[in-house]
Amino acid sequence: MMPDPRKPPNPPKPQGRPDRVSLLQYAKLFRKDILSAQPDRLYRAWMAEFKTPFFRSFMINQPDLIKTVLKDRPDDFPKSGRIAEGLRPLLGNSVFLTNGDSWKRQRRIIDPAFEGGRLKDTFPAMWEASEAMVARLHEQVGKPVEIEEETSHAAADVIFRTLFSIPIDHEIATQVFARFRDYQRSQPILNLGAFVPLPRWMPRFFRKGTRENAKVIRDLIAQLTDERMRAIQDGSAPDDLATKIMTTQDPVTGDRFDAQEMVDQVAIFFLAGHETSASALAWTLYLLAIHPDWQEKLAQEATVLEQRDFGVMSKLRLSRDVFREALRLYPPVPMMVRQSTCPERFRNRNVPIGSQLVISPWHLHRHERLWDNPDGFDPDRWGTENGKICQRAAFIPFSTGSRVCTGAGFAMVEGPLILSMILRHFRIETVSGRDPVPVAHLTVRSRDGIWLKLSHR
Ligand code: HEM
C-alpha cells in the first residue's frame, strides 16, 4: 500500500530482528539494545517464550494475564532478583528493590507523601522548576540543543525542590546530578542481568567507576538526610516531601525510617523520579516538533497559565493527552520483570517456578491487536472508544497494582506543566539529519540524543 502523503510519518520505532537467531546472536543484539533485539511478532503475540539453558522467560502481552501478575496476585510474582543486581550499589535496600514484608512497610511510610493532597503542596516547587527551565531554554534559542540534557536538568531540579526544598544549583544537588550522569555512563544496560542467560553463580562485574560513583552519590545524599534529621529534631525543617517521609510513622509497627534507610529511598526517588520524567518530556518535545499543529493547540491552551495555582492543572487537558501519548509510544520504563513462585499455566503453557516474566509496556502500548493506529501519534485517541478501552486494559507506563509507581500522580502534574510552560514560550523544530533512534538503556532514550531547535514564540 502507498503511504498517504497527507499523513505525517509515524515517529521512530526500532527495527525488529529476524524471527530466528541463535542464542549467541541474541545475546549480542541484546547488548546493543533490548528493543531491536526483539522480533516484530511480539507486537502481535499474547505471550512468547524464550528458552535459555539456565532459566525460562516469558513475555506476557495479554491484558488479563498482566492483570493477574501485577494486580490480582502480586505477592506470587515478586520482582525478579536479577534486576536488582545492577542497581544495588546505588539503591541499597530501597523500595524499588525490596519484596515481601520489608517492601510493604516501606510503601506504608512513603505512600502518604505522594497522596493527592500533598501533590498540591508540591505544586509551587514544580512551578519554580518549570520557570527555571524556561529561563535556561531562552539561552539556547536558535541553535541545535540536545533536549534530553535540558529535560534531565529540569526533572532533577523538580526532585530536589520538592524533596528537600533546594534548587538544582545548590552545591550538593549539583554534585549528585553530575555524579549520577557518570554513574549511568559507567553502568552497563541495567536490565541486562534479567534476560541474558547467565547462571546465578556467575559473578557480575560492574564497570570501573560504578561502585565508586554510587558511594559518592550516597555520601552526598547522606549529608542531606543527616541535616534534615537534625532540622526535624530542632523543629526547623521545611514542610516538604523529605520531612513528610522522615516523620511518617508506619501505622502497623509505629517505627520511622532512620537516616540510613532514608538514603536508600532518596536515591530511588532521584533515580526513578528524574530519569523517567526526563525521558518522557524529551520524547514529547520531539513528537511536538514533528507535529506543529499540536504545538499550536498546546500554545493556545497554555494561556491559562496566567493562573498560577494547582487548579490550573485541570485546564491543561491537551497537554496531558499529548504527554500521555508520548508515554504510550515511548514508555520510559520499557520492560518490567517478575518471577513466578508457584507453577502456573498461562495460555495452555506450563510456566515453571522461577520463570522470569517479562511485562513490556513497550510492546503492549503498540500491540497491533489492541490499539487503533498503534505506531501513530494521535493524542485525540484518548477520547475515542478504542483509546478509552486500551487506557484501562493496555496502558501501563507507571505499572499497575500495589507496586504501581509511587510518583505516577506527581509525574502527571510535572510533565504537562513543564510542557505547557515550554510551548507557551517557544516553537520547536527538528534538526535535519538528527532523527532520534530509540534504544532502551535504564529508560527509553535516543541513541545519539534528541536534537531540537527552539525559536521564540
Ligand atoms: C514519567 C515518569 C515516570 C514513569 C514513566 C515511571 C514509571 C515507573 C514504573 C513503570 C515503575 C514500576 C517498575 C517495576 O515494577 O519494575 C515505577 C516504580 C517506582 N517509581 Fe516511577 N515513574 C515515573 C516517575 C516517578 C517519580 C516522579 C517518582 C518519585 C518522585 C517515582 C518513584 C518510583 C518509585 C519509588 C517506584 C518503586 C515502587 C515500588 O516498587 O513499590 N517515579 N515507576
Side-chain angles (χ1 to χ4, degrees):
M1 207 169 50
M2 290 290 288
D4 179 350
R6 289 158 309 178
K7 204 174 146 222
N10 285 339
K13 175 181 178 185
Q15 208 174 3
R17 67 157 166 83
D19 244 358
R20 298 201 176 281
V21 291
S22 72
L23 193 61
L24 184 66
Q25 281 170 311
Y26 181 58
K28 273 192 188 154
L29 278 167
F30 199 97
R31 264 181 195 279
K32 238 172 72 193
D33 165 43
I34 311 172
L35 298 178
S36 48
Q38 312 304 332
D40 277 343
R41 73 184 149 84
L42 294 185
Y43 294 106
R44 291 180 292 278
W46 296 125
M47 182 165 164
E49 180 170 356
F50 310 99
K51 278 200 187 116
T52 75
F54 305 106
F55 64 89
R56 284 162 92 173
S57 66
F58 297 85
M59 182 179 280
I60 300 175
N61 260 346
Q62 183 170 303
D64 62 319
L65 286 180
I66 294 177
K67 184 168 168 282
T68 302
V69 172
L70 295 180
K71 231 172 164 167
D72 300 341
R73 293 171 45 209
D75 288 349
D76 294 341
F77 302 98
K79 273 205 168 177
S80 164
R82 288 165 190 274
I83 278 284
E85 287 159 16
L87 292 166
R88 192 75 68 192
L90 180 67
L91 302 183
N93 220 14
S94 90
V95 65
F96 194 78
L97 301 182
T98 48
N99 278 314
D101 287 343
S102 48
W103 169 78
K104 285 185 182 151
R105 168 181 166 270
Q106 290 172 340
R107 286 288 299 233
R108 287 195 298 268
I109 297 177
I110 290 168
D111 282 356
F114 289 91
E115 276 165 8
R118 298 295 300 187
L119 274 183
K120 197 171 162 202
D121 300 341
T122 58
F123 187 75
M126 287 188 189
W127 183 284
E128 280 159 24
S130 313
E131 284 189 327
M133 173 168 196
V134 167
R136 282 192 300 273
L137 290 180
H138 275 299
E139 306 293 312
Q140 309 272 10
V141 159
K143 49 191 179 200
V145 37
E146 203 289 287
I147 206 73
E148 282 186 335
E149 292 262 330
E150 299 297 329
T151 54
S152 268
H153 199 145
D157 197 14
V158 169
I159 290 290
F160 280 111
R161 285 178 197 258
T162 52
L163 211 57
F164 284 107
S165 306
I166 54 176
I168 186 76
D169 28 32
H170 177 283
E171 195 194 340
I172 295 182
T174 307
Q175 283 187 60
V176 172
F177 183 48
R179 280 287 179 167
F180 191 81
R181 260 185 214 179
D182 294 348
Y183 179 85
Q184 280 168 298
R185 289 192 187 121
S186 68
Q187 172 72 343
I189 298 174
L190 281 168
N191 286 345
L192 204 64
F195 301 87
V196 168
L198 295 175
R200 257 199 195 290
W201 44 261
M202 201 179 266
R204 304 294 198 272
F205 297 104
F206 294 103
R207 283 187 198 155
K208 196 176 167 304
T210 303
R211 282 185 192 283
E212 242 169 69
N213 262 320
K215 180 165 179 345
V216 175
I217 294 171
R218 290 179 60 86
D219 289 348
L220 287 163
I221 294 176
Q223 288 181 44
L224 293 175
T225 53
D226 286 346
E227 199 179 293
R228 177 54 57 91
M229 197 58 104
R230 280 194 296 275
I232 290 171
Q233 278 154 4
D234 70 24
S236 63
D239 180 22
D240 52 22
L241 291 180
T243 299
K244 171 73 183 157
I245 295 168
M246 290 170 82
T247 54
T248 297
Q249 268 187 322
D250 175 0
V252 175
T253 61
D255 67 353
R256 299 192 172 95
F257 284 153
D258 61 29
Q260 188 55 40
E261 282 178 295
M262 189 60 187
V263 173
D264 293 348
Q265 310 311 338
V266 172
I268 186 57
F269 295 144
F270 185 71
L271 174 74
H274 104 280
E275 269 284 285
T276 46
S277 294
S279 157
L281 276 167
W283 283 108
T284 316
L285 291 170
Y286 174 77
L287 288 166
L288 287 169
I290 56 174
H291 291 90
D293 50 331
W294 277 97
Q295 288 189 46
E296 294 314 308
K297 291 184 200 180
L298 260 57
Q300 179 63 33
E301 181 183 75
T303 51
V304 299
L305 291 174
E306 294 298 322
Q307 179 190 339
R308 291 179 60 119
D309 60 48
F310 190 62
V312 78
M313 290 313 301
S314 62
K315 299 180 183 161
L316 298 179
R317 284 175 191 278
L318 297 179
S319 184
R320 189 201 55 202
D321 285 351
V322 166
F323 189 64
R324 196 176 270 159
E325 182 68 343
L327 288 174
R328 183 184 72 82
L329 285 167
Y330 300 101
V333 179
M335 292 180 200
M336 298 175 269
V337 188
R338 299 293 189 262
Q339 198 159 320
S340 58
T341 55
C342 359
E344 307 285 345
R345 197 153 168 83
F346 286 169
R347 285 192 69 81
N348 278 334
R349 282 189 224 214
N350 286 330
V351 175
I353 293 185
S355 300
Q356 305 287 302
L357 302 175
V358 180
I359 292 164
S360 168
W362 179 276
H363 291 93
L364 184 69
H365 290 180
R366 291 171 181 259
H367 204 285
E368 292 165 9
R369 296 206 237 167
L370 295 169
W371 297 86
D372 289 344
N373 186 15
D375 293 327
F377 172 77
D378 176 16
D380 284 332
R381 76 170 66 245
W382 304 110
T384 67
E385 193 56 27
N386 174 260
K388 284 181 192 160
I389 293 171
C390 285
Q391 189 183 345
R392 280 193 298 273
F395 181 65
I396 51 166
F398 299 106
S399 185
T400 183
S402 53
R403 267 212 111 128
V404 67
C405 170
T406 35
F410 183 102
M412 287 310 293
V413 175
E414 173 193 18
L417 176 66
I418 294 184
L419 210 55
S420 289
M421 282 265 202
I422 294 175
L423 268 296
R424 188 184 184 194
H425 290 91
F426 306 101
R427 287 200 167 81
I428 312 165
E429 284 168 64
T430 54
V431 176
S432 95
R434 288 205 180 248
D435 291 338
V437 180
V439 287
H441 288 267
L442 179 53
T443 48
V444 172
R445 289 277 155 141
S446 164
R447 196 184 56 207
D448 306 306
I450 296 183
W451 290 84
L452 297 174
K453 212 150 95 186
L454 304 182
S455 55
H456 291 295
R457 182 169 279 282

